Amino acid sequence: MLVATRVAALTECILLVRTEEVLACNDVLVMKLCGIKLDKKDTFGKSDPFLVFYKCNEDQREMRIPVSSLCNGDVNRTLKVECYDWDSDGSSHDLIGVCITNVLELSTPNSTFELKHPKKASKKKYTNSRTIRVEHARMIKNYGFLDYIQAGVQMNFTVAIDFTQSNGHPSDPRSLHYINNVGLNQYATALQSVGNIIQDYDSDKMFPALGFGGKLPDGSVSHEFFLNLNPGNPFCAGIGGVMHAYQSAIRSVALWGPTNFAPVINHVARFAAAMRDGTNYFVLLIITDGVITDMPQTVQAVIEASYLPMSIIIVGVGNADFSAMNVLDADNKVLSARGRSAQRDIVQFVPLRDYLTSGDNAMVQARLAKAVLAEVPDQFLGYMRRHNIEPPKQRLAPQSISSGPSSAQPSAPPM
C-alpha cells in the first residue's frame, strides 16, 4: 500500500488557470496603414511588408492575437507591432522593424510610428527602419442582434407550406401531411419548433401564412395562397393560429403541384423591398418535401432577395433528394446567375430527418429550432452592417405594414 501511495503522489499535477477581466466593449477599430520608405529585404524589388500585432498581458507575456481582440477594451493597453517582409515560402519572412503603440494611438489619423530593428538598434548611425503611418482610422460600434431588437427593430415572420402531391394523401399514415389525433406530423413539427422561438421576436405575434402547389376549393392551382383561405385577412394569431390554419387547409386544399419556390420568395421580397431602412427584417420559413421544379427562377429570386433585409429558412421533410437546397444554402460558393451574384448568404437549409433520432419530441423541437435559426442573427447583422444601419437611438414603436393587391390575391404584410 505504501508503494501504491507513492506512485499516486508522483502522478499529481497542479492546474494553473490564468484569468483576466475583459472590459465591456463592442467597438471595432477600422484603419488603413501605409509603410514609408521601408528597408528593402530582397535583392531585387521592393519589400512586401505585412504587420503582426501583439497585445501585452498584465504579466508582460506576449501572445499573438487577431486584430478583433486587440486590447480587451482597454485602448491604452500596450501593443507590439512587428513589420515583416513577406517571402513566398512562408517560413523565412524578414523582420523590417518593431514599434510599440496602443489602440488610442492607432485610431488617430496621420499618426506615425518608427520601426526599429532590434539587431540594428545598437549601431551608432542607425535611426530606424523607416516608419508606419496611419492613413485613416475610425472607431465603429460592433452592435449585436439583440441591440437592434431591444431598439424596436421588428422581425417579420412568414410561413410557406408545400401542398404538392409528392407528400402523399393526408389520410395515408405514410403521408408527411398525415392527419391524426395522436401526434404531430413532420410539417407540424417543423412549424411549431421554429415558430415557438421566432414568435418571441415579433411584436404583435400576428403571422400571415402561405401555401404553394395546392389546388384550392374553387379549382384553381396556386403557388401563393393564404393558408387560412381568407383572401382579405391572412393573419394568424401566433403560431397556434398558424397551426390551426394549416390543419384546416390540409383538409380542404387538394395536394397538387409542381413545387415552385419563386412565388412565395418574391411575395415576401416585395415587402422587404419597401422597408430597406433597417426598421424591419423579414424571415421566410419554407417547409417542403422535395425537389424544386422552378430552380432557375428560385435562384434568381434568392439573389434579388439577398440585397434586401430578408432571410430564408428551408426545412426539408421526408427522405427526398435535397441537393438543390444545398446549392441555395451557398455556404461554400456564392450563388450567381445571369451575371449577377448574391450580395449575402441568406438561405439556411436543414433536413428534418437529421433531428428525428430522439424519441423525445421536445428534444427534437429544441435541436431543430437551434439548427434552423443558427444563421439568422448573422444574416440580419450582415445586412445592417453592409448598409451602415445602427440601432435606433430611441426605441421604435410597433408599426403595421400594408400593401395593395398582388397578382394572385390581396397581399398581406409578412409579420
Side-chain angles (χ1 to χ4, degrees):
M1 293 296 294
L2 179 59
V3 174
T5 302
R6 286 181 175 178
V7 172
L10 289 174
T11 61
E12 290 181 358
C13 63
I14 297 175
L15 177 63
L16 179 61
V17 179
R18 295 180 181 272
T19 63
E20 180 180 353
E21 180 182 6
V22 178
L23 302 180
C25 178
N26 60 356
D27 293 337
V28 173
L29 176 63
V30 180
M31 59 184 177
K32 180 179 180 181
L33 308 180
C34 71
I36 303 173
K37 297 182 179 179
L38 300 177
D39 285 357
K40 294 182 179 180
K41 294 295 180 179
D42 299 323
T43 303
F44 302 101
K46 299 179 180 179
S47 59
D48 304 304
F50 66 92
L51 304 178
V52 178
F53 286 77
Y54 294 84
K55 72 175 179 181
C56 180
N57 287 333
E58 297 300 330
D59 58 4
Q60 301 302 305
R61 291 183 302 115
E62 294 177 348
M63 62 179 295
R64 189 169 179 169
I65 59 166
V67 177
S68 60
S69 52
L70 274 175
C71 60
N72 289 2
D74 180 3
V75 296
N76 293 301
R77 186 172 189 163
T78 300
L79 298 176
K80 176 184 175 182
V81 182
E82 295 179 348
C83 181
Y84 287 87
D85 173 43
W86 180 83
D87 286 323
S88 59
D89 62 11
S91 60
S92 57
H93 306 308
D94 298 315
L95 179 66
I96 295 176
V98 179
C99 70
I100 303 298
T101 183
N102 57 46
V103 170
L104 188 61
E105 292 177 343
L106 285 171
S107 60
T108 304
N110 298 317
S111 296
T112 57
F113 307 94
E114 287 189 334
L115 291 174
K116 296 191 176 183
H117 197 292
K119 293 183 178 180
K120 297 181 179 180
S122 59
K123 297 181 179 180
K124 292 182 179 180
K125 294 183 179 181
Y126 177 75
T127 303
N128 57 49
S129 295
R130 304 298 175 161
T131 58
I132 293 291
R133 184 179 74 243
V134 180
E135 288 196 338
H136 64 76
R138 69 186 189 279
M139 203 72 82
I140 63 173
K141 293 292 183 181
N142 188 29
Y143 293 108
F145 177 67
L146 290 181
D147 292 321
Y148 290 87
I149 300 301
Q150 291 170 352
V153 175
Q154 191 163 322
M155 298 294 290
N156 304 289
F157 179 51
T158 301
V159 179
I161 295 179
D162 186 338
F163 277 75
T164 57
Q165 289 179 333
S166 55
N167 287 281
H169 196 278
S171 63
D172 186 341
R174 295 170 296 180
S175 172
L176 297 169
H177 280 304
Y178 179 52
I179 302 172
N180 67 86
N181 297 320
V182 178
L184 300 176
N185 62 35
Q186 291 196 28
Y187 277 87
T189 297
L191 176 58
Q192 185 165 291
S193 301
V194 181
N196 282 342
I197 299 297
I198 204 166
Q199 71 175 350
D200 292 335
Y201 296 97
D202 190 283
S203 59
D204 62 6
K205 295 179 173 54
M206 295 295 291
F207 306 105
L210 307 174
F212 60 93
K215 189 174 185 179
L216 304 181
D218 64 5
S220 63
V221 176
S222 176
H223 299 286
E224 184 190 351
F225 64 89
F226 294 148
L227 202 60
N228 63 6
L229 303 180
N230 182 349
N233 182 19
F235 294 103
C236 303
I239 294 305
V242 177
M243 290 282 286
H244 177 75
Y246 161 65
Q247 292 166 351
S248 177
I250 203 62
R251 290 175 169 85
S252 56
V253 175
L255 302 186
W256 213 256
T259 308
N260 293 347
F261 277 19
V264 293
I265 295 174
N266 291 330
H267 178 101
V268 178
R270 285 195 293 271
F271 298 96
M275 307 290 288
R276 299 172 185 253
D277 61 355
T279 58
N280 287 266
Y281 194 85
F282 299 80
V283 178
L284 169 62
L285 170 64
I286 301 175
I287 310 176
T288 185
D289 82 309
V291 178
I292 303 171
T293 52
D294 66 338
M295 190 62 175
Q297 293 85 354
T298 295
V299 168
Q300 197 63 39
V302 171
I303 291 173
E304 298 303 323
S306 72
Y307 290 80
L308 305 174
M310 179 175 169
S311 289
I312 301 169
I313 301 169
I314 304 174
V315 176
V317 298
N319 297 308
D321 178 7
F322 291 121
S323 56
M325 308 303 179
N326 293 320
V327 172
L328 295 178
D329 200 326
D331 284 337
N332 301 316
K333 183 179 180 181
V334 176
L335 197 64
S336 60
R338 300 178 185 177
R340 185 170 169 83
S341 298
Q343 189 177 75
R344 303 177 294 126
D345 174 14
I346 64 168
V347 177
Q348 168 75 340
F349 169 69
V350 175
L352 180 62
R353 62 192 176 212
D354 292 354
Y355 299 87
L356 296 178
T357 55
S358 171
D360 184 345
N361 193 54
M363 183 63 69
V364 169
Q365 293 190 23
R367 292 176 61 236
L368 176 64
K370 180 180 179 181
V372 166
L373 299 174
E375 295 185 8
V376 170
D378 285 342
Q379 292 170 356
F380 173 98
L381 292 173
Y383 178 83
M384 298 301 179
R385 291 169 181 169
R386 178 175 288 273
H387 296 278
N388 298 317
I389 299 174
E390 296 185 356
K393 302 303 181 184
Q394 295 184 337
R395 181 174 173 81
L396 297 172
Q399 55 184 308
S400 60
I401 306 171
S402 60
S403 177
S406 73
S407 58
Q409 61 184 105
S411 290
M415 301 181 64

